């Protein structure tokens, strides 16, 4: 029993990919960073590569991956379907921007317009991903005001760390991008701590009594509704020991926030290529830390249906 790694990787990779794509679309299109062929090629390849890898990994979570295309038809009512539509639609301006910025070496004009549309599409896609979880009322840890902003903050945080690492790697470091990555990491850390504090104090009013509508005593389950565990119990009824949860929270804070903050500060003060090495290590550490954070995001969530299995 454990949260599916395919979904953990999907949310981490696509968040970083869309964050990087949005920054490249804005900064490259508006000519804040130069239209360098190798920088542009590496940046777009990394951004789109993370997005595609994340989207492909998410199909591994489906019972029938060959039917994934059917999810696009439910965009009127499903945030999952809206996410699929938004992710595909974003590739159109992203491709146009990449062609103009990377291969034609241009910024401004239609390239800037395509970059802005790609950035807007990236933000919309991240919002739809966040709403998939924020809209689930049976999971109190997700159905809160903290979930959607977390997706946006973490996308900006990981995306800016990658953008800074790329710029530093090509010796085109920008103090503004580096500062933004540092501030976004601090914001992400603060938001994560606030989320954990909120979830730890969360009082869920639903009990076995209210779920069944029975009164006059304490309702308890003496037998499961079925003989084998289903996906809800495996992924949304996962039980993690408090000591393990505390340890993983410390690992998350160290890898995703503390180490990147220290390395980004070092990048501010150090000359190139030491600044480049520090920035690359910051991005790698942060991505690893966010994988742990996303695993905890799923592991600590509890679906109300677990009440029917005798789990308080």
């Amino acid at each position: 029993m454990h949260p599916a790694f395919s979904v953990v990787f999907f949310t981490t990779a696509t968040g970083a990919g869309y964050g990087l794509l949005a920054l490249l679309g804005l900064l490259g299109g508006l000519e804040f960073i130069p239209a360098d062929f190798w920088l542009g090629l590496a940046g777009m390849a990394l951004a789109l590569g993370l997005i595609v890898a994340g989207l492909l990994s998410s199909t591994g979570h489906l019972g029938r991956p060959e039917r994934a295309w059917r999810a696009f038809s439910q965009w009127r009512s499903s945030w999952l379907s809206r996410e699929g539509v938004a992710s595909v639609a974003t590739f159109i301006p992203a491709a146009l921007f990449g062609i103009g910025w990377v291969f034609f070496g241009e910024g401004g004009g239609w390239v800037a317009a395509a970059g802005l549309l790609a950035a807007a599409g990236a933000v919309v896609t991240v919002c739809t991903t966040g709403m998939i979880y924020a809209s689930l009322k049976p999971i109190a840890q997700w159905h809160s005001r903290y979930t959607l902003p977390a997706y946006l903050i973490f996308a900006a945080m990981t995306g800016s760390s990658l953008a800074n690492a790329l710029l530093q790697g090509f010796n085109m470091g920008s103090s503004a991008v580096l500062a933004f990555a540092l501030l976004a990491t601090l914001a992400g850390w603060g938001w994560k701590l606030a989320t954990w504090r909120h979830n730890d104090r969360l009082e869920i009013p639903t009990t076995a009594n209210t779920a069944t509508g029975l009164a006059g005593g304490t309702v308890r389950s003496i037998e499961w509704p079925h003989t084998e565990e289903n996906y809800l119990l495996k992924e949304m009824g996962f039980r993690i020991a408090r000591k393990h949860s505390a340890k993983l929270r410390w690992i998350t804070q160290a890898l995703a926030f503390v180490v990147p903050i220290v390395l980004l500060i070092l990048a501010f003060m150090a000359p190139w290529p030491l600044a480049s090495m520090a920035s690359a290590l910051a991005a790698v550490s942060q991505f690893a830390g966010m994988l742990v954070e996303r695993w905890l995001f799923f592991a600590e969530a509890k679906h109300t249906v677990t009440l029917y299995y005798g789990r308080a």
Side-chain angles (χ1 to χ4, degrees), residues 5 12 15 80 98 130 135 141 146 172 196 208 217 221-222 238 268 299 311:
F5 182 74
T12 305
L80 178 63
S135 64
Q141 290 87 352
Y146 290 93
M172 300 177 187
W196 281 335
S221 175
I222 60 174
F238 180 74
F268 258 118
R311 298 183 182 177

Side-chain angles (χ1 to χ4, degrees), residues 3 52 92 130 148 210 251 255:
V52 171
I92 299 173
L148 178 57
T210 61
I251 293 173
L255 291 178

Side-chain angles (χ1 to χ4, degrees), residues 50 97 101 114 165 173 196 232 236-237 245 260 267 274 278 289 293 301:
L50 284 170
F97 167 72
W101 190 52
W196 281 335
L232 282 174
M236 297 182 193
S245 179
L274 185 57
E293 187 278 333

Side-chain angles (χ1 to χ4, degrees), residues 20-21 23-25 27-31 33-48 93-108 110-112 114-115 118 166 170 172:
L20 177 58
L21 176 62
L23 284 172
L24 291 178
L27 300 178
L30 298 178
E31 300 181 294
I33 55 178
D36 179 80
F37 175 79
W38 291 111
L39 170 64
L41 185 64
M44 292 300 293
L46 180 58
L48 297 179
L96 292 174
F97 167 72
I99 292 171
W101 190 52
V102 177
F103 295 103
F104 293 165
E106 294 183 5
W110 68 271
V111 176
L166 280 168
F170 285 90
M172 300 177 187

Side-chain angles (χ1 to χ4, degrees), residues 33-93:
I33 55 178
D36 179 80
F37 175 79
W38 291 111
L39 170 64
L41 185 64
M44 292 300 293
L46 180 58
L48 297 179
L50 284 170
I51 293 169
V52 171
L55 292 173
L56 289 177
S57 73
S58 68
T59 63
H61 189 60
L62 302 176
R64 300 292 295 273
E66 70 276 9
R67 297 179 180 177
W69 62 271
R70 294 184 178 180
F72 291 89
S73 64
Q74 306 301 314
W75 58 270
R76 293 180 182 85
S77 58
S78 168
W79 282 108
L80 178 63
S81 183
R82 292 165 187 162
E83 177 197 44
V85 172
S87 64
V88 172
T90 301
F91 275 97
I92 299 173

Side-chain angles (χ1 to χ4, degrees), residues 103-288:
F103 295 103
F104 293 165
E106 294 183 5
W110 68 271
V111 176
L116 291 174
L117 286 174
V123 172
V124 170
T125 305
V126 172
C127 285
T128 57
T129 303
M131 284 304 300
I132 291 173
Y133 304 101
S135 64
L136 296 178
K137 293 182 180 180
I139 305 177
Q141 290 87 352
W142 296 350
H143 188 63
S144 77
R145 64 183 184 275
Y146 290 93
T147 301
L148 178 57
Y151 272 83
L152 292 169
I153 292 171
F154 293 150
M157 178 183 78
T158 52
S160 60
S161 290
L162 289 173
N164 173 65
L166 280 168
L167 290 171
Q168 294 287 352
F170 285 90
N171 199 14
M172 300 177 187
S174 166
S175 297
V177 174
L178 180 53
F180 182 77
L182 180 58
L183 291 174
T185 301
L186 288 169
W189 192 7
W191 195 262
K192 189 71 258 185
L193 290 175
T195 303
W196 281 335
R197 189 179 304 112
H198 169 268
N199 289 346
D200 289 343
R201 297 174 179 177
L202 194 61
E203 294 184 4
I204 303 175
T206 305
T207 64
N209 287 67
T210 61
T212 57
L214 300 174
T218 301
V219 176
R220 59 188 178 90
S221 175
I222 60 174
E223 186 174 350
W224 280 22
H226 44 75
T227 57
E228 296 182 1
E229 291 197 338
N230 56 21
Y231 81 97
L232 282 174
L233 288 179
K234 290 179 181 179
E235 298 177 22
M236 297 182 193
F238 180 74
R239 289 180 291 183
I240 179 172
R242 185 170 297 179
K243 63 177 181 180
H244 297 317
S245 179
K247 183 187 297 184
L248 289 173
R249 287 186 179 187
W250 281 112
I251 293 173
T252 296
Q253 292 184 77
L255 291 178
F257 306 115
V258 176
V259 171
I261 287 171
V262 173
L263 289 172
L264 290 173
I265 292 174
L266 176 62
F268 258 118
M269 301 182 295
W272 195 87
L274 185 57
S276 173
M277 295 173 59
S279 297
L281 289 173
V284 171
S285 174
Q286 191 165 82
F287 191 87

